[in-house]
Amino acid sequence: MSRGTAVVTGASSGIGAATVVALARAGWRVVAGARREDRLREVAERAGARWMRLDVTDQASVDAFVAALDECAVLVNNAGGAYGLTPIAEADDEQWRRMYEVNVLGLLRMTRALLPLLERAAPGHVVNIGSIAATETYPGGAGYTAVKHGVRAVTRTLRQELLGRPVRVSEIDPGAVETEFSVVRLGSEERAAQVYAGMTPLTGEDIAECVLWVVERPPHVNVDELVVRPLDQVMGVPTMHRRT
Ligand code: NDP
C-alpha cells in the first residue's frame, strides 16, 4: 500500500540510509537526497527508492531537488553532523560555521521549500533529527550542542507557527548511534572506534524504526519529542572538580 511521498535528507549513510529502507519497506514512496551520489544510488536501489543529489547548504541544490517533486507528505530533516571536538578556547570558526550551515540552515532551507507541498498533503509531517545534544552540553561539544539546541528551537517555533494547519512537527533526539558520525567528526576510523568502545551503541536502524513509528501515528497525534539512548549511556560526563 502506498502511503505517500517521504523525503529523507542525508540519506547516503547512517540514520538517513536506514530510514530510507524502513520507510520504503513500509510502503512510502521515498525520495532520498545527499551529496555522495554513488552511496546514495546504492541505498536507493536497495530500498526501491528514488534519489537525487542534494546539498542542503546550497539553496540552488535545494530548489532543484524540490522542483522535481510534485507531492511530499513527510520530510525527514536528517542531514547533519558534527565537525571537531575542541574546547571553546581553541574553537575553529570555520567548523562552527559549517555545523550551523548543515544542521540549522540546511533544515530551514528544506522545510521552507517543502512547506507548501507538506500542507497540501494534509497531514504533512516534518521530522527533525535532533540529538541529546539539543538539551545537553559536554566539554568540547559546544559547536555541535549549540546547533542542535538551535534545531530544537526551530522545531518548537515551527510547531507553534503551524498550529491550526495540517502539518505535524516532531523531533527525534538520539544518543550515541554508531554511523559515520564519529568518523566525520574526528577524522579517523580509529578515533571513532574509541567512542563506542566497551558499550553497545544504537544503530541507524533503531532510529529509523522511531521515525517510522512517529510518522505512522494517527493524523491527530503529534509526537513532539522522542529521546532515545543506548542502555549504556546516561547524560553527561564526569564534570566534578575534586580537590585532593
Ligand atoms: P552520518 O555521517 O552517517 O550521516 C550524515 C548524513 O548527512 C550523510 O548521509 C551525509 O551525506 C549527509 N550530509 C552531510 N552534509 C550534507 C549536506 N550538506 N547536504 C546533504 N546531506 C548532507 O551520521 P548519522 O547518520 O549519525 O547522522 C544523521 C543525523 O543524526 C545528523 O543530523 C546527526 O547530527 C544526528 N545524530 C547522530 C547521532 C549519532 O550518534 N550518530 C546522535 C544524535 C543525532 P553526504 O556526505 O553524502 O552528503
Side-chain angles (χ1 to χ4, degrees):
M1 184 188 85
S2 174
R3 289 181 154 85
T5 296
V7 167
V8 181
T9 71
S12 58
S13 66
I15 294 169
T19 300
V20 169
V21 172
L23 290 175
R25 193 176 291 150
W28 291 84
R29 285 191 299 277
V30 181
V31 185
R35 296 166 304 173
R36 290 172 295 174
E37 297 186 39
D38 49 341
R39 297 282 302 269
L40 189 58
R41 182 186 303 112
E42 185 276 315
V43 171
E45 284 177 358
R46 182 155 44 91
R50 194 178 154 197
W51 65 273
M52 283 184 275
R53 187 183 186 280
L54 172 68
D55 181 348
V56 298
T57 69
D58 176 359
Q59 186 64 52
S61 173
V62 170
D63 290 345
F65 186 95
V66 171
L69 302 173
D70 49 21
E71 58 172 37
C72 178
V74 170
L75 166 61
V76 184
N77 278 314
N78 165 75
Y83 311 122
L85 187 65
T86 36
I88 290 167
E90 289 130 42
D92 178 321
D93 292 24
E94 192 44 37
Q95 284 183 339
W96 281 52
R97 207 171 281 124
R98 282 175 59 213
M99 284 190 272
Y100 197 79
E101 262 294 336
V102 63
N103 290 281
V104 182
L105 290 179
L107 177 150
L108 164 69
R109 290 188 190 95
M110 289 302 295
T111 305
R112 184 175 55 201
L114 280 170
L115 266 182
L117 290 183
L118 289 162
E119 192 155 3
R120 205 186 308 155
H125 200 158
V126 179
V127 181
N128 292 334
I129 305 300
S131 168
I132 56 171
T135 53
E136 297 168 15
T137 59
Y138 52 93
Y144 183 61
T145 57
V147 296
K148 288 299 189 184
H149 277 64
V151 166
R152 180 175 158 88
V154 173
T155 307
R156 293 162 76 108
T157 307
L158 182 66
R159 194 178 303 119
Q160 293 164 357
E161 291 174 355
L162 293 177
L163 182 65
R165 285 154 63 185
V167 182
R168 300 188 287 179
V169 183
S170 302
E171 180 171 312
I172 298 176
D173 290 332
V177 189
E178 190 165 10
T179 61
E180 294 174 19
F181 176 90
S182 291
V183 180
V184 171
R185 177 175 222 177
L186 303 171
S188 88
E189 305 260 353
E190 292 73 27
R191 290 184 70 197
Q194 286 164 19
V195 174
Y196 312 108
M199 56 89 69
T200 305
L202 299 171
T203 64
E205 287 73 20
D206 293 327
I207 304 306
E209 279 184 32
C210 297
V211 175
L212 187 61
W213 182 78
V214 163
V215 300
E216 297 208 329
R217 291 311 85 216
H220 67 288
V221 177
N222 191 96
V223 179
D224 278 16
E225 291 167 7
L226 192 59
V227 180
V228 190
R229 299 173 203 266
L231 182 60
D232 289 339
Q233 183 182 28
V234 294
M235 178 185 159
V237 291
T239 52
M240 203 79 79
H241 174 64
R242 297 183 194 283
R243 287 174 297 280
T244 50

